[in-house]
Amino acid sequence: MLPWVYEFHWTVFHITFLLVFFSVFVVIVTTVVMAMRRTQQAEQQNKIDSILWHSDFEDLPPKARVCRHELSGEVKNRMCDNGFDCRSCKVHTFLVSQQHEPHSVQFETYGFTMPPYRLYHRGHAWVQEEKDGTYKIGIDDFGTRIIGRAQSIELPEIGTHLSVNGKGMLVRKQNAEIRILSPIDGKVVEQGDAEKGWLLKVKPDNKEKVTAHLLKGDEVPNWIMREMERLQISFATSGVGATLADGGELVPDFHKHYPKADWDSVLGQMFLEA
Amino acid sequence: MDKKLIPRGLQRTSFTKFLLWVLPWTALLAFGTYAIYLCLAEGLFHTNMDNRFAFGIWIFLDLTVIALGAGAFFTGFLLYILKRKELKAVINSAVVIGLICYTGAMLVLMVDVGQPLRALFTFWHPNTHSILTEVTFCLTCYLIVLIIEYVPIVLKNRQLRQIPKFLVFEFQLHKLMPVIAGIGTFLSFFHQGSLGGLFGVLRGRPFAFREELGIWPSTFFLFVISAAAAGPSFIMLTTWLVEKITKKRLVKPSVYKFLGKVSGIMLIAYVLLKSIDTFIWINSTSPGNGFPAFEFYATRSFGTWILFTEIVTLGLLPALVLLSSRLRENRKLLFGAGFMVCCGIMLNRFVMTIQTLALPTLPFDEFLTYMPSWEEVATFLFVIAYGVLLYSFTFRYSTLFPQERELEYMPDEQSSKEFANSAGERSWWQPRFVTNFINRIASSKL
């Protein structure tokens, strides 16, 4: 294999063969080393949450990745390839600049209470701006009804920094453990609870574009309708057969009515966790 | 604990049933291990090979599995380099099958060498005049590539991805996959080709010897193209088999049809080149070496029927089926053609190894027969058992088919409709009477 071993001759063929072989070997080794180095860098830069989300997002079925502009009827058959982060999406920027009509305001959507003054994340968290510049965060009505009565909700400590699509909070329910994605970037300044009607209060990092990626207005009813469809699919695959009739409303504490369903799978699919 | 290892949202059989499935394969693995032990500890006299019949069932099946495992590199090439996204649905399975085929082949080669610890000599003291040196180098590198491609599939396991280091490493490795796929394609091209070239350079075996195109004999290119044709068909068949065993739908019908089409295109190219090659060999190469080509087909065992079967029955026929969009609509024809492609490749590798060695070349030579010993057969059964076990565990605890979740909801009728909806039009190369004939076959119940 090496020039000084066994019948090696300084001919074009021998040299080319060795060069090609070693180049291949070097590329393989370099690729693995590069992956290891990037792993180390990502850990140091605390990018694990973001990578976890991207990994989960890659595994989402097409029905869960529909672009918000398809929800609002502006475009057809468009899938999000940006991890639901519209802030850096050029198509979103363009389409927003074309919008003229004001968004409709509905309080009730398919039986869910979705106040128009709140903004909604695709992972079923809502965000509401406060006068002091902070934002309240909670789980939306759809998410609350699926989870029902949670065994515990683990909230991040005050001072913790949250990033969009990173882990926001952890909900435990029987055998299932579900992380709710953080809808915005910012620092936790106060913890809430169910009685207060919100779970976290967050001070955003940057005032600009802090909620540009969140759903609002016309997008919300269409999104909820598709979420109902997804819920129906997730139930059909979790071994309980047909459950939701078209046109029906989701009862509160849905979980209680179908205790035998594979809730770990249903909650994972609905809260976008692989 | 078992349930926590299964990917979220995927339905798998109970652990007890899984153990019952695993048990007979483990027994077969143990039986194979014993045979391997005998060959390695006591010597190669346990085989029925000798100095004249040095390539037996091991090399024949090695060449076959390496050709069938080509689906890994070819699918990777189509997905990562040519960006055929539909193949994302089977890439993980293709990688596992490739890994099984190549590790299995390497293992059998180690036993075949007799002294596996001396495998290092291949690298340290390579015979620079041997085409096998290139094969060894490429196979080793490609095996490393396959392991690198397999690692992310394992690390994607639900529990393993909870460990941040594994999660990030898997993610980063996945991002670099086009580089790995490119290297895999390069290596596969050369080792698949060199395995064919190996026979083409045998001057002392005029049945296999072929003229050179550039620095390589024509068999170099024929092996590459035939492997690229068989690989997608084998993925199609294995996926279908897993669907039957698990009673699940794992990929959309369009993926099967695409694999069939790719296989058909490569196969027709192969049949064409093989026919030209055979024509030149019959009329020029073989007579030029003093052997009328049909003398090689004078024995009863290997008559001209074998050539006809290889090129027409298991080559041209399945190629025509796979090239016709109308015929691909019929599942039985599609999978039947895929099966024929795999059998065709197997027959080709059999002809190149066994027939080449069995035929006499010197005036005092006689037609040789060879029957593998039980140890040789058991060693190969080891590979099959190992393959089934590795695939079963990977299927249970990782996501091999990303469309599985989605398809679990899709009713059967919708899936069949999707199969029918993508019915194609008449291909440009088909005369109308051929189309009518094909349509009649497609609409008949088989």
Side-chain angles (χ1 to χ4, degrees):
Chain A
M1 192 162 80
L2 299 168
W4 55 88
V5 176
Y6 189 72
E7 282 206 10
F8 179 84
H9 302 292
W10 289 99
T11 59
V12 176
F13 181 76
H14 282 200
I15 294 167
T16 312
F17 178 75
L18 282 185
L19 273 178
V20 171
F21 173 72
F22 280 113
S23 306
V24 167
F25 194 71
V26 166
V27 172
I28 293 173
V29 173
T30 312
T31 310
V32 177
V33 170
M34 203 186 276
M36 287 163 85
R37 218 175 135 211
R38 284 185 185 180
T39 305
Q40 209 175 7
Q41 281 173 348
E43 278 186 311
Q44 282 166 358
Q45 291 164 5
N46 217 3
K47 283 185 176 172
I48 291 166
D49 265 4
S50 146
I51 287 174
L52 179 64
W53 164 243
H54 276 98
S55 176
D56 283 349
F57 184 76
E58 283 283 304
D59 291 342
L60 286 181
K63 275 182 188 293
R65 287 174 58 171
V66 172
C67 169
R68 64 190 293 179
H69 296 285
E70 190 186 324
L71 295 174
S72 60
E74 290 162 272
V75 290
K76 280 182 183 172
N77 299 324
R78 185 167 194 277
M79 300 265 252
C80 176
D81 50 9
N82 226 20
F84 294 145
D85 194 349
C86 315
R87 294 173 299 179
S88 54
C89 177
K90 284 178 185 168
V91 177
H92 173 73
T93 314
F94 170 75
L95 288 170
V96 165
S97 69
Q98 302 294 307
Q99 286 170 350
H100 299 298
E101 289 176 31
H103 287 290
S104 65
V105 279
Q106 273 183 294
F107 208 85
E108 290 280 322
T109 302
Y110 298 103
F112 298 100
T113 309
M114 307 293 271
Y117 49 83
R118 284 178 183 168
L119 303 165
Y120 298 91
H121 184 259
R122 302 284 282 260
H124 291 289
W126 58 257
V127 172
Q128 187 181 326
E129 191 173 5
E130 293 292 286
K131 282 178 187 166
D132 61 358
T134 59
Y135 287 82
K136 279 182 190 168
I137 295 175
I139 301 174
D140 68 24
D141 195 22
F142 188 97
T144 312
R145 291 199 202 189
I146 310 173
I147 295 171
R149 192 171 293 168
Q151 271 165 340
S152 67
I153 299 179
E154 192 182 292
L155 299 173
E157 295 293 318
I158 293 170
T160 309
H161 185 265
L162 302 179
S163 37
V164 173
N165 298 324
K167 187 172 134 186
M169 55 194 96
L170 197 71
V171 177
R172 290 200 180 85
K173 172 107 189 170
Q174 287 182 353
N175 295 328
E177 195 178 77
I178 290 296
R179 57 108 183 82
I180 309 289
L181 296 169
S182 167
I184 52 170
D185 291 320
K187 196 179 269 185
V188 178
V189 290
E190 199 179 333
Q191 289 183 335
D193 53 40
E195 280 177 24
K196 287 181 183 169
W198 51 271
L199 295 168
L200 291 174
K201 201 175 263 188
V202 169
K203 191 178 178 190
D205 290 342
N206 187 351
K207 268 283 179 187
E208 275 176 46
K209 281 190 167 184
V210 69
T211 58
H213 58 292
L214 300 174
L215 301 181
K216 57 190 171 187
D218 291 341
E219 295 162 338
V220 179
N222 290 329
W223 169 60
I224 287 295
M225 192 182 72
R226 284 175 190 252
E227 287 298 280
M228 291 281 278
E229 261 177 47
R230 284 212 310 125
L231 183 64
Q232 200 165 359
I233 292 171
S234 71
F235 262 90
T237 55
S238 69
V240 292
T243 46
L244 298 170
D246 285 344
E249 276 184 22
L250 202 61
V251 291
D253 202 356
F254 196 47
H255 181 279
K256 212 168 74 183
H257 295 79
Y258 297 99
K260 284 185 182 169
D262 182 358
W263 278 98
D264 182 43
S265 160
V266 172
L267 293 176
Q269 286 180 60
M270 298 316 297
F271 288 95
L272 312 178
E273 187 175 359
Chain B
M1 180 61 199
D2 175 68
K3 197 166 187 310
K4 284 190 174 172
L5 288 169
I6 295 171
R8 189 179 251 145
L10 295 185
Q11 304 292 315
R12 294 285 178 264
T13 186
S14 70
F15 190 59
T16 321
K17 273 190 188 169
F18 181 66
L19 280 183
L20 285 174
W21 161 259
V22 161
L23 212 64
W25 296 107
T26 314
L28 196 61
L29 196 79
F31 176 59
T33 311
Y34 176 62
I36 291 172
Y37 164 77
L38 286 180
C39 291
L40 292 180
E42 295 181 6
L44 289 174
F45 71 89
H46 280 286
T47 72
N48 283 345
M49 287 184 284
D50 53 29
N51 288 343
R52 170 76 194 278
F53 229 116
F55 285 178
I57 187 179
W58 285 345
I59 296 296
F60 152 52
L61 289 175
D62 264 3
L63 291 184
T64 306
V65 293
I66 285 176
L68 296 176
F73 99 81
F74 202 56
T75 315
F77 171 72
L78 290 173
L79 173 66
Y80 296 113
I81 313 289
L82 298 188
K83 306 285 178 202
R84 296 306 306 235
K85 298 273 183 205
E86 53 268 60
L87 291 176
K88 206 176 166 190
V90 287
I91 187 69
N92 288 353
S93 179
V95 166
V96 179
I97 287 167
L99 184 73
I100 291 166
C101 288
Y102 277 81
T103 44
M106 289 290 261
L107 182 118
V108 173
L109 276 178
M110 298 283 253
V111 184
D112 203 356
V113 168
Q115 298 206 34
L117 292 180
R118 295 193 181 180
L120 185 70
F121 286 21
T122 320
F123 301 101
W124 198 248
H125 301 294
N127 180 356
T128 47
H129 305 291
S130 171
I131 208 161
L132 272 176
T133 301
E134 190 203 323
V135 174
T136 319
F137 279 32
C138 285
L139 272 182
T140 312
C141 283
Y142 188 55
L143 194 60
I144 298 170
V145 165
L146 279 171
I147 292 168
I148 295 172
E149 286 180 333
Y150 182 64
V151 167
I153 299 173
V154 176
L155 293 184
K156 198 110 188 179
N157 172 273
R158 196 174 160 186
Q159 294 304 319
L160 290 178
R161 74 199 291 275
Q162 302 294 329
I163 302 165
K165 228 179 200 51
F166 286 172
L167 170 85
V168 182
F169 186 61
E170 181 273 319
F171 184 78
Q172 299 297 352
L173 214 48
H174 192 78
K175 279 210 292 196
L176 294 167
M177 220 33 100
V179 181
I180 299 288
I183 289 286
T185 307
F186 175 82
L187 290 169
S188 292
F189 177 82
F190 281 103
H191 74 247
Q192 295 279 2
S194 293
L195 282 171
L198 176 75
F199 295 98
V201 296
L202 294 176
R203 275 200 176 271
R205 296 278 168 191
F207 176 73
F209 179 73
R210 293 291 187 277
E211 300 290 344
E212 284 171 355
L213 293 168
I215 58 165
W216 292 295
S218 58
T219 45
F220 179 98
F221 303 98
L222 290 175
F223 262 54
V224 177
I225 300 169
S226 60
S233 272
F234 191 59
I235 292 172
M236 196 169 78
L237 284 182
T238 45
T239 309
W240 172 79
L241 194 66
V242 179
E243 280 191 342
K244 289 287 159 199
I245 293 170
T246 58
K247 293 177 185 141
K248 286 169 176 297
R249 273 168 300 150
L250 302 171
V251 298
K252 289 181 180 170
S254 55
V255 178
Y256 281 130
K257 282 185 271 186
F258 182 71
L259 285 169
K261 188 178 173 182
V262 170
S263 196
I265 293 169
M266 297 310 293
L267 191 64
I268 200 74
Y270 168 72
V271 169
L272 186 71
L273 293 174
K274 174 80 183 170
S275 305
I276 295 170
D277 175 70
T278 309
F279 185 76
I280 294 171
W281 174 70
I282 289 172
N283 290 295
S284 165
T285 319
S286 189
N289 286 317
F291 290 86
F294 284 96
E295 268 187 20
F296 293 114
Y297 295 100
T299 60
R300 191 182 290 177
S301 316
F302 302 124
T304 43
W305 65 269
I306 206 165
L307 186 66
F308 184 83
T309 311
E310 193 192 331
I311 298 179
V312 180
T313 318
L314 300 175
L316 185 64
L317 242 121
L320 290 178
V321 172
L322 294 175
L323 280 175
S324 156
S325 51
R326 174 80 186 164
L327 288 187
R328 283 199 305 271
E329 299 308 316
N330 186 316
R331 278 171 187 257
K332 284 178 184 167
L333 282 180
L334 178 67
F335 295 122
F339 180 69
M340 283 165 81
V341 177
C342 295
C343 289
I345 289 304
M346 208 166 169
L347 182 65
N348 174 262
R349 292 343 187 218
F350 177 83
V351 164
M352 296 306 281
T353 32
I354 307 295
Q355 193 175 348
T356 299
L357 293 181
L359 293 171
T361 47
L362 296 170
F364 49 83
D365 271 351
E366 285 179 1
F367 181 82
L368 272 187
T369 51
Y370 154 84
M371 186 58 73
S373 67
W374 74 265
E375 288 93 335
E376 285 176 78
V377 177
T379 302
F380 216 84
L381 289 178
F382 174 94
V383 174
I384 293 174
Y386 146 76
V388 171
L389 287 172
L390 184 67
Y391 196 94
S392 302
F393 276 97
T394 315
F395 177 77
R396 187 172 178 81
Y397 298 118
S398 300
T399 311
L400 276 193
F401 300 98
Q403 290 176 352
E404 188 184 344
R405 273 191 204 99
E406 200 184 330
L407 288 170
E408 242 173 83
Y409 166 72
M410 196 188 278
D412 282 340
E413 315 87 69
Q414 197 176 334
S415 173
S416 315
K417 206 184 282 175
E418 197 185 312
F419 218 102
N421 275 348
S422 45
E425 295 300 313
R426 181 170 74 99
S427 306
W428 61 268
W429 53 269
Q430 282 173 359
R432 190 162 294 281
F433 74 92
V434 176
T435 314
N436 293 340
F437 174 71
I438 285 170
N439 289 349
R440 216 174 302 141
I441 296 176
S443 55
S444 66
K445 283 184 182 174
L446 289 177

